[in-house]
Amino acid sequence: METKTVGILGAGTMGHGIAQVLIRSGYTVFLHDLSQQFLDSGAGRIAKGLNRDVEKNRLTDEEREKALSRLTTTTRVADLAAADFIVEAVTENLEVKAGAFRAIEPHCGQGVIFASNTSSISITRLAAATERPDRFIGLHFFNPVPVMKLVEIVPGLATSQETLEAAERLATSAGKTPVRVNDYPGFISNRLLMPMINEAVYCLMESVADAKGIDNVMKLGMNHPMGPLELADLIGLDVCLDIMKVLYESFRDSKYRPCPLLEKMVNAGRLGRKTGRGFYEYPGASGRC
Ligand code: CAA
């Protein structure tokens, strides 16, 4: 079945970015969140992103208006009944995500595919919380969504070939490059990225260098666009810690133990850009991811 209308759960950093990319690619999108305030913030960020495309001559005024006309924001899950593909991008927590799928499932037809943008939770486990494990898949986008080319496509144990192909088509038609990755903790991206970030926090904790020094080593020596600590601030230190915990608890291997300084930063509410302070300071932050 061809996907035309996508329902997105969560208008935060990832949800609004996915919505922006999809409306720009011709999809009709219903963006859901719990409060109108979250939706207004997400819609504002989408409009800003599309305005930037117009300024840069990547989009005409008319195309921007058409794209925006394909976006509907709503606080009512029942409105997502119009969608033939659902992408969930809510808080990175098994119970919250499973709850979101359970809330929407009675409103969705049999053929509707459910996808989770989880960065580390087992797709097989999330799929088992729904009535459609064969029509359930991981669709892992990267931040900032409009810029990053990759989407990890993660089939669970019961995911059908048809679902896999539909997810790959959606990612490709949104201008992304899908890479198929089997359902193991952290997939590929976070199994490699998070231990690097965690080790950078250990280096900071042990005063091997200051934050700028650590980041400069990776930027100037390895050509990374951002240093690991800057990147942790972009991703959110709470998200980094949650992913390290998933890796540690899933593999039961001490090499994945979260750095105590990372835990301390999260406990202090220094979550990175979204709270205005992480390893660096960000005046004027919005306070929401
Ligand atoms: N939203 C939308 N667009 C953004 C953006 C944002 N938050 N930040 C930057 N951009 C755009 C800019 O507008 C600019 O686009 P144009 O000039 O073409 O309009 C372009 O990206 C380049 O930005 P800048 O020139 O300001 O800065 P830069 O060259 O340093 O690039 C960056 C910024 C793209 C973020 C780059 O530093 C980068 O690629 N960093 C690494 C990001 C990364 O690793 N992301 C993955 C995180 S892991 C994850 O998301 C998944 C997970 O599970 C945790």
Side-chain angles (χ1 to χ4, degrees), residues 14 52 56 58 119 140-144 146-148 190 193-194 225-226 231 234-235 239 243:
M14 300 308 288
R52 171 96 183 153
K56 291 261 169 170
R58 292 186 292 242
S119 42
H140 185 206
F141 288 83
F142 291 80
N143 182 17
V147 182
M148 307 308 280
N190 283 320
L193 176 64
M194 286 304 156
M226 296 175 114
L231 183 55
L234 175 73
I235 294 167
V239 176
I243 297 172

Side-chain angles (χ1 to χ4, degrees), residues 92 119-121 185-186 189-202 232 235-260 262-263 266:
E92 189 67 7
S119 42
S120 61
I121 296 171
S189 54
N190 283 320
R191 187 160 167 185
L192 299 182
L193 176 64
M194 286 304 156
M196 180 189 72
I197 288 176
N198 195 50
E199 205 57 35
V201 187
Y202 269 109
I235 294 167
L237 303 196
D238 50 340
V239 176
C240 295
L241 178 61
D242 284 345
I243 297 172
M244 283 313 295
K245 284 181 178 166
V246 168
L247 291 173
Y248 184 57
E249 282 154 21
S250 306
F251 290 114
R252 296 186 173 86
D253 186 329
S254 64
K255 73 180 173 185
Y256 298 114
R257 75 236 175 278
C259 176
L262 182 61
E263 300 212 79
V266 171

